[in-house]
Amino acid sequence: MAVYEIVFSPTGGTKKVSGFFTKPFCQESTYIDLSRRDIDFSAFSFNSSDICIVSVPSYGGRVPDIAVSRLMQLKGNNARAVLVVAYGNRAYEDTLAELQDVMGNAGFICTAAIAAVAEHSIMRQFATGRPDAQDEKELASFAAKVRSKIEQESVLDSLKLPGNRPYRTYNGVPLKPNADKSCQKCGVCARECPAGAIPPDNPSVTDTGKCISCMRCISICPQNARRLNKAMLAASSIKLKKACSGYKNNGLFL
């Protein structure tokens, strides 16, 4: 049995959630980074004895389009998949249902799922510090249950997850990062952008048509030169304050 950790995590929150499950689940796993543009994901072919822990963030209650397109290139061949969705303390709506459909269409058998709270990738004041120590303990306990059930070969392709079909409409958000005058044009953001939305020859600008507002460029800029429009950010924070406030619990499905 080989274990693969397949993750789309532009700013690290989803990766942290995934790690809190994967590490207690098994001692060794192979990491596949869905945010990279230089990987041929169609080259990955699994078999029925493999277990893939597939982790994505929820963007507006949906799986990011880029993650969907890359996951659909994988060849599942009846490998079992554990689905992990990280959401920023608002709601994950149809994300788990969509991820289940995507993985099923790619040939995987979905055996368990998690909807875990992570610090909001844009408005960091929501769910600050999540996943926390309590989340880590909860995910580790769930990992043991999932492992035990898989080893007993009692897992069937009948996982019932919340969500609607057709999925809710998501047209992105208007918050797009741009560089300020401190930009040194080092090109780190252009190389690391999952969507290829930053021109390598002029990394101080953003192609807003390609940008998915994942905030990776902000999180990795060595000069802290990339940022959002302050007025738009403040307005969005006020709009989401009620929905994103308070302590939300994780959802565990087996």
Side-chain angles (χ1 to χ4, degrees):
M1 177 182 71
V3 177
Y4 297 85
E5 187 180 8
I6 305 172
V7 183
F8 184 76
S9 182
T11 59
T14 302
K15 182 178 180 180
K16 186 176 180 181
V17 169
S18 182
F20 279 177
F21 177 88
T22 303
K23 290 178 181 177
F25 184 84
C26 66
Q27 293 183 348
E28 294 184 4
S29 63
T30 299
Y31 190 85
I32 300 174
D33 187 355
L34 291 172
S35 70
R36 290 179 56 181
R37 305 195 316 272
D38 61 340
I39 292 179
D40 177 11
F41 294 100
S42 66
F44 291 100
S45 182
F46 306 95
N47 61 61
S48 59
S49 66
D50 293 334
I51 299 171
C52 296
I53 300 164
V54 184
S55 305
V56 300
S58 176
Y59 285 2
R62 297 286 302 278
V63 181
D65 285 345
I66 289 176
V68 169
S69 65
R70 294 171 185 174
L71 287 170
M72 285 298 295
Q73 296 177 50
L74 305 176
K75 299 176 180 67
N77 299 313
N78 290 324
R80 284 163 288 189
V82 178
L83 312 179
V84 181
V85 164
Y87 71 105
N89 214 49
R90 185 186 66 83
Y92 55 91
E93 281 119 336
D94 303 333
T95 317
L96 272 180
E98 183 179 14
L99 184 59
Q100 182 180 31
D101 293 344
V102 168
M103 298 311 295
N105 289 334
F108 293 83
I109 297 175
C110 301
T111 60
I114 299 164
V117 178
E119 186 173 298
H120 200 286
S121 61
I122 300 176
M123 288 154 271
R124 297 286 185 173
Q125 71 271 31
F126 300 132
T128 303
R130 302 284 300 273
D132 55 22
Q134 179 58 38
D135 296 318
E136 183 176 13
K137 182 179 179 181
E138 184 178 28
L139 292 175
S141 176
F142 188 60
K145 293 179 181 178
V146 175
R147 178 79 185 228
S148 176
K149 193 151 191 176
I150 289 176
E151 289 176 345
Q152 293 170 15
E153 297 185 352
S154 59
V155 178
L156 301 176
D157 188 16
S158 59
L159 187 64
K160 304 298 182 183
L161 298 176
N164 298 303
R165 298 172 177 87
Y167 318 122
R168 74 192 310 272
T169 300
Y170 175 63
N171 296 314
V173 297
L175 296 166
K176 308 293 184 181
N178 274 306
D180 60 25
K181 294 180 180 179
S182 64
C183 175
Q184 301 295 311
K185 294 182 171 56
C186 66
V188 171
C189 59
R191 290 193 299 272
E192 297 293 330
C193 176
I198 303 172
D201 58 345
N202 189 13
S204 61
V205 301
T206 302
D207 183 336
T208 57
K210 292 182 178 181
C211 177
I212 61 172
S213 303
C214 73
M215 304 301 144
R216 182 169 201 153
C217 60
I218 289 179
S219 68
I220 65 171
C221 177
Q223 304 297 326
N224 295 317
R226 297 186 68 85
R227 60 194 72 253
L228 298 170
N229 179 281
K230 290 183 179 180
M232 292 181 67
L233 181 60
S236 297
S237 296
I238 293 172
K239 184 178 180 180
L240 288 178
K241 183 176 181 180
K242 183 177 180 180
C244 291
S245 296
Y247 192 94
K248 303 281 177 65
N249 294 318
N250 302 312
L252 307 175
F253 306 90
L254 181 59

